[in-house]
Amino acid sequence: MSFRQDGLFDKMHPYIGHQMIARQLAAYGNDSYGALSGRDMAAATMSLYESAKEDYLFPRLEQTKYLAVELAKRDIPVILPPGGHAVYIDINKMFPSRPWDDYMGMGLVSEMLRRYGVRGGEMGYMAMEFDKYVAKVGKLPERMPPNFVRFAIPGNVYHKEHMDYVVECLCELNKEKESIPGFKAVRAQDHILR
Protein backbone atom coordinates (compact mmCIF):
# COMPACT_ATOMS: atom_id res chain seq x y z
CA MET A 1 0.00 0.00 0.00
CA SER A 2 1.35 3.39 -0.94
CA PHE A 3 0.22 6.81 0.20
CA ARG A 4 2.03 8.64 -2.58
CA GLN A 5 0.05 10.68 -5.08
CA ASP A 6 0.02 7.86 -7.63
CA GLY A 7 -0.14 5.02 -5.09
CA LEU A 8 -2.67 2.26 -4.69
CA PHE A 9 -4.37 3.81 -1.66
CA ASP A 10 -4.93 7.07 -3.53
CA LYS A 11 -6.49 5.20 -6.44
CA MET A 12 -8.79 3.17 -4.19
CA HIS A 13 -9.92 6.17 -2.12
CA PRO A 14 -9.52 9.32 -4.22
CA TYR A 15 -11.50 11.57 -1.84
CA ILE A 16 -10.21 10.23 1.47
CA GLY A 17 -8.18 13.38 2.17
CA HIS A 18 -11.19 15.65 1.77
CA GLN A 19 -13.32 13.36 3.91
CA MET A 20 -10.71 13.24 6.67
CA ILE A 21 -10.33 17.03 6.70
CA ALA A 22 -14.12 17.52 6.85
CA ARG A 23 -14.37 15.12 9.80
CA GLN A 24 -11.46 16.82 11.52
CA LEU A 25 -13.03 20.26 11.10
CA ALA A 26 -16.32 19.01 12.53
CA ALA A 27 -14.70 17.30 15.51
CA TYR A 28 -11.51 19.22 16.33
CA GLY A 29 -11.35 22.46 14.36
CA ASN A 30 -8.83 23.66 11.82
CA ASP A 31 -5.70 21.61 11.28
CA SER A 32 -3.37 24.61 11.18
CA TYR A 33 -3.24 28.01 12.77
CA GLY A 34 0.17 28.64 11.28
CA ALA A 35 -0.55 32.17 10.07
CA LEU A 36 -0.92 33.66 13.55
CA SER A 37 1.52 36.37 14.44
CA GLY A 38 3.41 36.41 17.73
CA ARG A 39 1.06 39.15 18.97
CA ASP A 40 -1.96 36.97 18.19
CA MET A 41 -0.42 33.99 19.97
CA ALA A 42 0.33 36.18 23.00
CA ALA A 43 -3.27 37.45 23.01
CA ALA A 44 -4.55 33.87 22.86
CA THR A 45 -2.30 32.90 25.75
CA MET A 46 -3.52 35.82 27.86
CA SER A 47 -7.11 34.92 27.03
CA LEU A 48 -6.60 31.36 28.25
CA TYR A 49 -4.99 32.68 31.43
CA GLU A 50 -7.78 35.18 32.08
CA SER A 51 -10.58 32.71 31.33
CA ALA A 52 -9.40 30.39 34.11
CA LYS A 53 -9.87 33.06 36.77
CA GLU A 54 -12.88 32.73 39.06
CA ASP A 55 -13.95 36.38 38.62
CA TYR A 56 -14.37 35.65 34.91
CA LEU A 57 -15.94 32.20 35.27
CA PHE A 58 -18.50 32.92 38.00
CA PRO A 59 -20.57 35.54 36.11
CA ARG A 60 -20.46 33.40 32.98
CA LEU A 61 -21.70 30.32 34.81
CA GLU A 62 -24.41 32.37 36.50
CA GLN A 63 -25.54 33.80 33.16
CA THR A 64 -25.86 30.32 31.65
CA LYS A 65 -27.68 29.08 34.75
CA TYR A 66 -30.04 32.08 34.61
CA LEU A 67 -31.03 31.36 31.00
CA ALA A 68 -31.57 27.65 31.66
CA VAL A 69 -33.63 28.20 34.82
CA GLU A 70 -35.80 30.89 33.21
CA LEU A 71 -36.52 28.59 30.26
CA ALA A 72 -37.31 25.67 32.58
CA LYS A 73 -39.72 27.85 34.59
CA ARG A 74 -41.62 28.43 31.36
CA ASP A 75 -41.81 24.74 30.44
CA ILE A 76 -39.18 24.88 27.73
CA PRO A 77 -37.51 21.43 27.89
CA VAL A 78 -33.97 22.44 28.75
CA ILE A 79 -31.20 20.16 30.00
CA LEU A 80 -30.52 20.79 33.69
CA PRO A 81 -28.13 21.44 35.25
CA PRO A 82 -26.72 23.61 32.47
CA GLY A 83 -23.13 23.56 31.35
CA GLY A 84 -20.79 26.49 31.59
CA HIS A 85 -21.02 27.84 28.05
CA ALA A 86 -24.38 26.85 26.55
CA VAL A 87 -27.99 25.90 27.14
CA TYR A 88 -29.40 22.82 25.40
CA ILE A 89 -33.05 22.42 24.38
CA ASP A 90 -34.36 18.84 24.17
CA ILE A 91 -36.08 18.77 20.77
CA ASN A 92 -37.72 15.37 21.28
CA LYS A 93 -39.51 16.73 24.36
CA MET A 94 -40.37 20.06 22.75
CA PHE A 95 -41.89 18.40 19.66
CA PRO A 96 -43.11 14.99 20.92
CA SER A 97 -45.69 14.49 18.17
CA ARG A 98 -43.41 15.28 15.23
CA PRO A 99 -41.59 12.47 13.41
CA TRP A 100 -37.82 12.30 13.76
CA ASP A 101 -37.25 13.01 10.06
CA ASP A 102 -39.00 16.38 10.28
CA TYR A 103 -35.68 17.58 11.77
CA MET A 104 -37.41 19.92 14.20
CA GLY A 105 -34.07 21.03 15.63
CA MET A 106 -33.30 22.60 12.27
CA GLY A 107 -36.83 24.00 12.15
CA LEU A 108 -36.40 25.67 15.56
CA VAL A 109 -32.96 27.03 14.71
CA SER A 110 -34.20 28.41 11.39
CA GLU A 111 -37.23 30.11 12.94
CA MET A 112 -35.21 31.62 15.80
CA LEU A 113 -32.83 33.14 13.28
CA ARG A 114 -35.49 34.18 10.76
CA ARG A 115 -37.93 35.73 13.22
CA TYR A 116 -35.70 37.04 15.99
CA GLY A 117 -32.10 37.11 14.81
CA VAL A 118 -31.06 34.62 17.51
CA ARG A 119 -28.61 31.98 16.35
CA GLY A 120 -28.56 28.48 17.77
CA GLY A 121 -26.95 25.28 16.62
CA GLU A 122 -28.71 22.03 15.79
CA MET A 123 -26.87 19.23 17.56
CA GLY A 124 -29.25 16.45 16.69
CA TYR A 125 -30.46 14.20 13.92
CA MET A 126 -29.35 16.40 11.01
CA ALA A 127 -25.89 17.19 12.38
CA MET A 128 -25.28 13.59 13.43
CA GLU A 129 -26.55 12.22 10.08
CA PHE A 130 -29.18 10.04 11.74
CA ASP A 131 -30.94 9.50 8.42
CA LYS A 132 -27.83 7.75 7.08
CA TYR A 133 -27.80 5.46 10.10
CA VAL A 134 -31.46 4.54 9.63
CA ALA A 135 -30.92 3.91 5.90
CA LYS A 136 -27.92 1.68 6.60
CA VAL A 137 -29.48 -0.33 9.44
CA GLY A 138 -32.99 -0.33 8.03
CA LYS A 139 -34.79 0.56 11.25
CA LEU A 140 -34.86 2.99 14.14
CA PRO A 141 -32.82 2.11 17.23
CA GLU A 142 -34.66 0.87 20.32
CA ARG A 143 -33.66 4.05 22.13
CA MET A 144 -33.52 7.27 20.14
CA PRO A 145 -30.27 9.25 20.40
CA PRO A 146 -30.18 12.78 21.86
CA ASN A 147 -31.63 15.54 19.72
CA PHE A 148 -30.63 18.99 20.96
CA VAL A 149 -30.44 22.61 19.94
CA ARG A 150 -27.59 24.49 21.56
CA PHE A 151 -27.62 28.17 22.41
CA ALA A 152 -23.99 29.05 23.15
CA ILE A 153 -23.23 32.05 25.34
CA PRO A 154 -19.85 33.66 24.66
CA GLY A 155 -18.18 35.25 27.65
CA ASN A 156 -18.26 39.03 28.18
CA VAL A 157 -20.66 39.61 25.29
CA TYR A 158 -24.26 39.41 26.52
CA HIS A 159 -26.20 40.92 29.40
CA LYS A 160 -29.30 39.86 31.33
CA GLU A 161 -31.50 41.68 28.82
CA HIS A 162 -30.15 39.49 26.04
CA MET A 163 -30.96 36.35 28.03
CA ASP A 164 -34.48 37.68 28.70
CA TYR A 165 -34.91 38.28 24.97
CA VAL A 166 -33.93 34.68 24.16
CA VAL A 167 -36.39 33.42 26.80
CA GLU A 168 -39.15 35.59 25.33
CA CYS A 169 -38.44 34.39 21.78
CA LEU A 170 -38.35 30.70 22.70
CA CYS A 171 -41.56 31.02 24.74
CA GLU A 172 -43.31 32.65 21.79
CA LEU A 173 -42.14 29.91 19.43
CA ASN A 174 -43.11 27.23 21.94
CA LYS A 175 -46.69 28.53 21.92
CA GLU A 176 -46.74 28.25 18.11
CA LYS A 177 -44.61 25.11 17.85
CA GLU A 178 -47.07 23.25 15.65
CA SER A 179 -46.68 25.96 13.02
CA ILE A 180 -42.89 25.59 12.89
CA PRO A 181 -42.07 23.84 9.61
CA GLY A 182 -40.02 20.71 9.46
CA PHE A 183 -36.76 20.63 7.57
CA LYS A 184 -35.60 18.45 4.72
CA ALA A 185 -32.15 18.13 3.22
CA VAL A 186 -32.61 18.47 -0.53
CA ARG A 187 -28.99 18.85 -1.55
CA ALA A 188 -25.63 17.98 -0.09
CA GLN A 189 -27.18 14.91 1.54
CA ASP A 190 -24.01 12.92 1.00
CA HIS A 191 -21.65 15.62 2.23
CA ILE A 192 -20.01 15.04 5.55
CA LEU A 193 -20.53 18.63 6.70
CA ARG A 194 -24.08 19.41 5.70
Side-chain angles (χ1 to χ4, degrees), residues 43-72:
T45 302
M46 288 304 295
S47 177
L48 289 171
Y49 175 74
E50 292 293 322
S51 67
K53 291 184 174 180
E54 192 171 328
D55 59 342
Y56 168 82
L57 289 173
F58 183 75
R60 182 160 189 203
L61 295 172
E62 287 299 308
Q63 188 176 48
T64 305
K65 179 180 169 185
Y66 173 80
L67 178 59
V69 168
E70 290 301 310
L71 289 170

Side-chain angles (χ1 to χ4, degrees), residues 8-162:
L8 177 62
F9 190 82
D10 186 57
K11 289 177 183 170
M12 291 173 53
H13 307 285
Y15 299 106
I16 190 76
H18 298 291
Q19 292 170 341
M20 290 172 67
I21 289 172
R23 279 284 178 207
Q24 177 188 327
L25 287 170
Y28 306 110
N30 200 347
D31 61 341
S32 172
Y33 294 97
L36 289 178
S37 67
R39 180 187 60 83
D40 292 340
M41 293 296 285
T45 302
M46 288 304 295
S47 177
L48 289 171
Y49 175 74
E50 292 293 322
S51 67
K53 291 184 174 180
E54 192 171 328
D55 59 342
Y56 168 82
L57 289 173
F58 183 75
R60 182 160 189 203
L61 295 172
E62 287 299 308
Q63 188 176 48
T64 305
K65 179 180 169 185
Y66 173 80
L67 178 59
V69 168
E70 290 301 310
L71 289 170
K73 282 184 198 174
R74 291 160 178 83
D75 295 324
I76 304 292
V78 64
I79 304 300
L80 292 174
H85 77 287
V87 171
Y88 292 84
I89 308 296
D90 188 329
I91 296 303
N92 292 342
K93 289 182 181 174
M94 189 167 184
F95 300 96
S97 63
R98 301 292 285 268
W100 72 268
D101 56 355
D102 267 1
Y103 298 112
M104 292 313 300
M106 289 299 297
L108 179 65
V109 166
S110 298
E111 287 301 294
M112 284 293 286
L113 186 60
R114 186 181 72 82
R115 293 186 191 187
Y116 309 109
V118 175
R119 193 179 86 189
E122 190 265 354
M123 306 295 287
Y125 299 155
M126 179 65 76
M128 303 306 167
E129 301 175 340
F130 189 57
D131 57 326
K132 291 182 180 181
Y133 168 82
V134 172
K136 181 179 179 182
V137 174
K139 63 179 184 173
L140 293 174
E142 288 182 30
R143 184 173 174 199
M144 293 295 277
N147 188 15
F148 300 130
V149 164
R150 180 181 82 169
F151 290 97
I153 306 168
N156 297 326
V157 176
Y158 297 116
H159 300 286
K160 180 182 177 293
E161 294 79 13
H162 294 106

